[in-house]
């Protein structure tokens, strides 16, 4: 029989006193409803990144399909690290003393256990808010990476993403969403990221496309997206996640949450219908790709407006954004920039339209649906000065993002081993073969096995085959 030493236990009062002074059990009480809201929002925005990977893969050609999936996932990893390292602190530090960018008070996710007041009186751990906003930074970087489609190397976009988030995303986010930012203090209306997410990704992606240069024309004969089903699946995941992206941006569960979701759905519906109808009038056929493109342009336009404008205004916004964004796909033709996935038209231009609509249709009563926001609204409330504020903000975000992105591209392209674009031989072989070494489809492996079994070898990257020479022949 085992014997245990006798332990003398302290009295209950002594024990409780000791525990009160030495216990590491966290006893701070939080608003659990708001915490779970932000946890759910974080997960939904993350799903959008996965949807974007499928969307971009479907829009690319078969030989570069896996390249787009890998690029989105890899950029997601870099974004998460940057946000943890100093991204959140540079964007949202509450001890910042300037109107441009935060400080390093929250460097490495420090000092995030403190109470963060979400709304009027909802106390939450600041880390819940930081995690939610981190997904906004991640989806922004994942959007612009579509610019490298079929010709961009992955390696240089590792340091590019870290620098871009630091120098472009964090400052602009501080302008509009940090209480010390100049746009925030000025009363600019940007509900869920028309500037930090959509304009930055769209215009920066266009600059990246310019520096990469166009794809080789002789390799572009009869170009079509290789898998429309993937495009549809990607759009479904984006739409699903976008409801959390817009609906939960107000942080506290409120009437504004459900109102923003309905605004988002209306804008997406009418954006998709308008784009699809324009394509039908041109070709006399319905286009699934056009339908998905219109839905996305509507979702983007709703991003800055869904918690700001009335429901009927979202119907107008959906129609206008679907029409203008469809026409904006010709900008890349006029400027001779190969924006392969129309990042500018569907994100940059739609973000501009949404922010412009806030100047006209912002309603003070919609803004107040969260129970704490006081704002005079836009033109429908006779607040005429909101127009120049919105226009100045649009110009500042677009101009700043293009200037700094161009600078990063120019410098990085000169750094050894960081050349942005692959050579023509790699472009012809496909990004899957050149950059990844794996393939979304097995046609490349089947081709190689055929040549191996039949004693042939490929000449370069072409389909031409030559017999092996041997001593016995």
């Amino acid at each position: 029989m085992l014997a245990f030493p006798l332990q003398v236990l302290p009295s209950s009062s002594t024990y409780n006193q000791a525990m009160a002074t030495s216990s590491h059990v966290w006893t701070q009480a939080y608003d659990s409803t708001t915490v779970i809201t932000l946890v759910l929002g974080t997960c939904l925005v993350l799903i959008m990144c996965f949807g974007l990977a499928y969307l971009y893969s479907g829009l690319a050609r078969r030989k570069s399909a896996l390249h787009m999936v890998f690029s989105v996932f890899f950029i997601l990893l870099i974004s998460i690290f940057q946000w943890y390292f100093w991204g959140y602190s540079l964007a949202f530090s509450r001890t910042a003393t300037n109107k441009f960018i935060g400080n390093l008070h929250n460097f490495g996710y420090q000092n995030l256990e403190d109470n963060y007041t979400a709304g009027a009186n909802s106390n939450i751990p600041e880390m819940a808010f930081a995690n939610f906003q981190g997904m906004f930074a991640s989806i922004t970087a994942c959007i612009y990476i579509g610019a490298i489609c079929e010709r961009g190397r992955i390696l240089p976009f590792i340091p590019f993403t870290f620098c871009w988030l630091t120098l472009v995303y964090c400052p602009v986010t501080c302008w509009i969403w940090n209480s010390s930012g100049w746009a925030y203090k000025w009363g600019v209306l940007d509900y869920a990221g028309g500037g930090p997410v959509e304009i930055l990704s769209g215009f920066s992606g266009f600059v990246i496309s310019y520096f990469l240069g166009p794809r080789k024309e002789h390799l572009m004969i009869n170009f079509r997206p290789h898998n429309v089903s993937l495009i549809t699946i990607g759009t479904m995941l984006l739409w699903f996640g976008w409801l959390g992206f817009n609906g939960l941006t107000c942080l506290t569960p409120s009437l504004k949450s459900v109102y923003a979701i309905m605004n988002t759905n209306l804008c997406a519906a009418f954006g998709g219908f308008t784009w699809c109808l324009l394509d039908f009038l041109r070709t006399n056929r319905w286009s699934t790709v056009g339908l998905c493109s219109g839905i996305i342009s509507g979702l983007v336009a709703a991003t800055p407006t869904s918690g700001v404008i009335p429901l009927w205004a979202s119907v107008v916004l959906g129609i206008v954004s679907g029409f203008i964004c469809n026409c904006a796909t010709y900008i890349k033709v006029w400027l001779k920039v190969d924006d392969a996935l129309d990042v500018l038209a569907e994100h940059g231009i739609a973000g501009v339209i949404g922010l412009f609509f806030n100047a006209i249709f912002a309603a003070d009563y919609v803004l107040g649906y969260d129970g704490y926001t006081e704002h005079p609204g836009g033109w429908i409330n006779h607040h005429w000065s909101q127009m120049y504020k919105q226009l100045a903000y649009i110009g500042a975000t677009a101009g700043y993002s293009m200037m700094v992105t161009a600078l990063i591209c120019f410098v990085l392209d000169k750094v050894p081993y960081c050349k942005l674009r692959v050579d023509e031989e790699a472009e012809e072989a496909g990004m899957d073969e050149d950059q990844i070494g794996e393939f979304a489809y097995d046609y490349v492996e089947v081709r190689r096995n055929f040549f191996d079994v039949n004693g042939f070898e490929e000449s370069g990257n072409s389909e031409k085959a030559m017999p092996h020479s041997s001593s016995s022949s």
Side-chain angles (χ1 to χ4, degrees):
M1 181 176 179
L2 294 176
F4 294 94
L6 180 64
Q7 295 181 341
V8 179
L9 298 177
S11 64
S12 59
S13 59
T14 305
Y15 178 78
N16 291 336
Q17 184 178 5
M19 289 298 292
T21 57
S22 63
S23 175
H24 296 287
V25 176
W26 194 260
T27 58
Q28 177 66 52
Y30 300 113
D31 183 347
S32 57
T33 304
T34 304
V35 172
I36 195 63
T37 296
L38 291 177
V39 171
L40 177 61
T42 303
C43 298
L44 288 173
V45 181
L46 178 61
I47 288 175
M48 294 174 65
C49 298
F50 305 148
L52 203 61
Y54 278 112
L55 174 71
Y56 284 174
S57 178
L59 287 168
R61 282 180 291 178
R62 186 186 304 269
K63 61 184 179 181
S64 297
L66 189 61
H67 173 248
M68 294 313 303
V69 174
F70 183 91
S71 298
V72 171
F73 271 72
F74 207 69
I75 293 305
L76 173 62
L77 307 186
I78 304 302
S79 302
I80 291 172
F81 168 68
Q82 190 275 349
W83 194 251
Y84 156 78
F85 187 71
W86 62 20
Y88 176 76
S89 190
L90 293 176
F92 287 100
S93 173
R94 288 189 281 173
T95 59
T97 56
N98 66 82
K99 300 178 181 180
F100 182 78
I101 194 169
N103 56 29
L104 297 180
H105 176 70
N106 302 116
F107 175 83
Y109 257 40
Q110 297 181 81
N111 306 314
L112 294 185
E113 299 84 6
D114 300 334
N115 275 5
Y116 182 90
T117 303
N121 53 11
S122 296
N123 289 326
I124 61 171
E126 190 172 354
M127 190 177 292
F129 176 75
N131 292 345
F132 182 52
Q133 287 295 333
M135 290 298 100
F136 279 58
S138 297
I139 189 64
T140 304
C142 290
I143 291 170
Y144 75 62
I145 205 62
I148 75 172
C149 180
E150 301 189 348
R151 66 204 189 279
R153 297 178 64 231
I154 293 173
L155 178 62
F157 283 92
I158 298 174
F160 177 94
T161 298
F162 191 91
C163 293
W164 187 90
L165 288 171
T166 301
L167 299 176
V168 179
Y169 182 84
C170 289
V172 174
T173 301
C174 181
W175 296 355
I176 188 63
W177 286 336
N178 192 316
S179 58
S180 66
W182 65 264
Y184 180 94
K185 289 179 175 293
W186 206 21
V188 174
L189 292 172
D190 186 355
Y191 175 65
V197 178
E198 308 303 351
I199 288 181
L200 293 193
S201 62
F203 284 85
S204 296
F206 196 72
V207 171
I208 294 169
S209 296
Y210 170 80
F211 275 89
L212 286 172
R215 291 166 289 178
K216 301 301 180 182
E217 289 188 11
H218 68 278
L219 300 177
M220 295 293 294
I221 300 174
N222 295 326
F223 171 77
R224 294 286 188 279
H226 92 278
N227 193 323
V228 179
S229 295
L230 283 182
I231 297 172
T232 308
I233 292 171
T235 303
M236 290 164 53
L237 291 174
L238 281 169
W239 194 344
F240 177 73
W242 225 302
L243 299 183
F245 185 97
N246 287 352
L248 304 183
T249 288
C250 60
L251 304 184
T252 56
S254 62
L255 176 57
K256 184 179 278 192
S257 301
V258 293
Y259 202 88
I261 287 175
M262 193 59 203
N263 263 335
T264 303
N265 283 335
L266 282 171
C267 201
F270 280 89
F273 177 77
T274 303
W275 188 306
C276 198
L277 182 60
L278 287 174
D279 285 352
F280 180 81
L281 294 175
R282 278 197 293 259
T283 65
N284 203 34
R285 285 187 173 87
W286 299 107
S287 169
T288 306
V289 176
L291 176 64
C292 292
S293 298
I295 289 171
I296 291 171
S297 67
L299 291 169
V300 171
T303 298
T305 66
S306 55
V308 176
I309 66 176
L311 296 177
W312 60 265
S314 285
V315 174
V316 180
L317 177 59
I319 296 171
V320 172
S321 62
F323 178 82
I324 294 180
C325 293
N326 186 298
C327 297
T329 58
Y330 292 99
I331 294 176
K332 63 182 181 182
V333 179
W334 299 333
L335 299 180
K336 298 181 179 179
V337 175
D338 187 9
D339 184 6
L341 305 183
D342 288 320
V343 176
L344 175 65
E346 295 183 28
H347 292 274
I349 301 301
V352 169
I353 296 169
L355 287 169
F356 180 79
F357 261 60
N358 280 349
I360 301 174
F361 296 104
D364 51 6
Y365 64 91
V366 176
L367 287 160
Y369 278 161
D370 55 12
Y372 58 88
T373 299
E374 288 281 357
H375 194 282
W379 279 13
I380 64 173
N381 293 128
H382 308 292
H383 185 223
W384 313 115
S385 64
Q386 193 64 37
M387 177 61 75
Y388 74 78
K389 294 178 181 180
Q390 296 296 121
L391 292 177
Y393 174 67
I394 290 169
T397 53
Y400 178 78
S401 65
M402 295 181 75
M403 178 183 67
V404 180
T405 302
L407 181 63
I408 297 173
C409 287
F410 179 80
V411 172
L412 199 59
D413 200 44
K414 305 296 182 183
V415 176
Y417 305 107
C418 285
K419 191 170 181 61
L420 299 178
R421 180 174 177 142
V422 300
D423 56 30
E424 184 174 346
E425 182 179 357
E427 185 179 345
E428 184 176 1
M431 294 297 95
D432 287 1
E433 185 164 354
D434 180 75
Q435 291 290 295
I436 309 298
E438 299 167 336
F439 311 94
Y441 304 92
D442 62 0
Y443 75 100
V444 177
E445 293 296 338
V446 170
R447 182 188 69 191
R448 287 176 171 176
N449 291 338
F450 173 80
F451 288 130
D452 290 342
V453 170
N454 290 279
F456 287 83
E457 64 180 12
E458 296 180 80
S459 178
N461 290 297
S462 67
E463 299 293 341
K464 182 179 178 181
M466 298 294 291
H468 286 290
S469 59
S470 62
S471 58
S472 59
S473 58

